[in-house]
Amino acid sequence: DDDDDDEHQTDPGPQAAAEASMDTAEHPKQRKKPKRKRRHKNQLMYSEEMEAAPADLAENWAVLACPLGRRTLVVSSEGDTCVYLNNGYRLNHFPSQLPAGHRKNMTKAKEFCVLDCVFEEATRTFHVLDILCWRAHPVMDSDFEFRSFWLQSKFEEEPRTAVRSSINPFVFRPVPRFACTPQTVLQCFSPPLPYDIDSLIFYHKQGIYHRGRSPLVLRLKPEKVSAVLGLAVPLPARRPPIRLSGSGDADGMDSSEDRIRLKPSLLPG
């Protein structure tokens, strides 16, 4: 009986096999493109809100006036300078006078720099808040006092970073930092400042560069200075900012993925 059943089974034949093959070809499996790993994601250090002044504010803290703009991570390496958001998205790339920032400014193959910056769209300026690495020498584990000295001295050695040119279409300027006294806090609001203030940022002098929120970095908006520090300061008159799409304040945690590019061709002169 089994043999009879085998005899009555129909061979599908080559035509049916070809049709099945065509069906498979018409409906291929959709392969998802592998996501590129964003190795520069979550590299920035962010502040906490200052609710009350630390008892050792005058002795162990420094203060700087944080510009209004877009927080970015700037990396110069292999003859190119790249700008990243905190979510790891590369916002732009261009030549610069930072070490290894353009092809004619390379001395060693492994050389690179990493900077914590605020980008000001109106003036095409990267205001440098902090330094993570310079010429492949990491300083994240160094305290804030040393990083501030290192940042200032290295930019003094590279004055061309502050001059706009065809190979440096965006300028880089370290943000001045001061010992924390009533006089220096008032000085942060004294004209003429070259940029609009977003907030005061207080760094503990012994704090290292810590990715993410750090209790050793405190932030105070201008309108809260009087209540928290007991100092009467003039609220800064801000120019109408030219803001990037979806951008928040300078120190806000950013998760947007703006597709806007910072084109050097838009620079005046």
Side-chain angles (χ1 to χ4, degrees), residues 66-70 118-120 195-198 238 241 243 250:
C66 182
L68 183 66
R70 191 61 178 277
V118 171
F119 176 70
E120 185 182 19
Y195 53 80
D196 290 334
I197 297 177
D198 173 78
R238 293 178 176 176
R243 300 179 68 84

Side-chain angles (χ1 to χ4, degrees), residues 205-221:
K205 295 177 181 178
Q206 301 304 313
I208 64 172
Y209 195 97
H210 174 76
R211 297 183 182 96
R213 297 285 178 188
S214 172
L216 298 181
V217 184
L218 300 177
R219 176 186 182 214
L220 190 61
K221 286 287 189 177

